[in-house]
Amino acid sequence: MDQDWEDRVTAAWATFDDLAEGDAAAFRAVIGALADELPPDSPLGLFERACAWDSTGHSDRAVPLYREALARGLGGVSRYKGRRAKIQLSSSLRNTGHPQEGVELLTPELSAPSDELDDAVRATLALCLSSTGRDREGLSLVLGALAPHLPRYQRSMAAYARLLVEPGD
């Protein structure tokens, strides 16, 4: 879609944190109206609708929309939004009792080209891993993501993270 549409979507989302609890349906309607401006098979519209359902507490309604957006090529339209959809879908899958699917969806993202979503991938994957009983792996991911942001102890924290899943001699 064009930049004007993207700007209007961004502006709508900028209001989200200020919404009262009872305004969720109105917010979804705003996002829905923006999505309606796109062709019905647009992965962008499906993604924005999924985000609106998810952000207003309806992971169950978001899951099929995220899946459809990805199936219709969201990652090819916007690599960034495609990656966001995988993160958010994985979180929603975890919230709806399907964390293993979230693990399977996000694990390949660990070797995807790096961007500002890397830590979100690791944090969400860590939650999914924990929900499947794989707490050490999840903790390792979180510590590994945190280590580069520390003012000191980066090397030792990264080593500790690695040792949680790859015990030394």
Side-chain angles (χ1 to χ4, degrees):
M1 190 32 82
D2 64 16
Q3 190 59 48
D4 174 65
W5 185 85
E6 289 286 351
D7 290 346
R8 289 184 290 130
V9 168
T10 299
W13 279 103
T15 69
F16 182 75
D17 287 336
D18 296 328
L19 289 179
E21 244 180 79
D23 293 339
F27 178 76
R28 288 191 304 269
V30 168
I31 296 299
L34 287 162
D36 286 344
E37 294 178 21
L38 302 174
D41 62 345
S42 169
L44 291 172
L46 292 163
F47 172 70
E48 294 300 337
R49 287 180 199 278
C51 292
W53 280 109
D54 205 3
S55 296
T56 57
H58 296 278
S59 294
D60 58 326
R61 301 282 302 264
V63 166
L65 294 169
Y66 286 134
R67 288 186 196 275
E68 186 68 17
L70 289 166
R72 290 184 186 258
L74 180 62
V77 173
S78 168
R79 182 186 175 286
Y80 181 78
K81 287 187 179 185
R83 199 162 196 220
R84 279 185 53 207
K86 289 177 185 177
I87 293 165
Q88 292 165 206
L89 172 56
S90 294
S91 178
S92 292
L93 287 166
R94 177 183 166 272
N95 290 338
T96 58
H98 304 282
Q100 184 57 40
E101 288 181 61
V103 169
E104 292 164 9
L105 183 63
L106 279 186
T107 298
E109 289 299 309
L110 293 174
S111 58
S114 182
D115 63 19
E116 65 269 24
L117 295 173
D118 289 351
D119 291 343
V121 166
R122 284 168 175 76
T124 305
L125 180 54
L127 287 168
C128 289
L129 285 166
S130 180
S131 292
T132 64
R134 296 162 62 187
D135 293 324
R136 288 180 68 88
E137 288 175 72
L139 179 57
S140 174
L141 279 173
V142 171
L143 287 176
L146 175 64
H149 303 285
L150 298 174
R152 296 189 52 85
Y153 316 110
Q154 293 174 345
R155 194 161 90 181
S156 60
M157 210 50 65
Y160 295 145
R162 206 172 29 260
L163 288 173
L164 283 167
V165 292
E166 299 172 11
D169 297 329

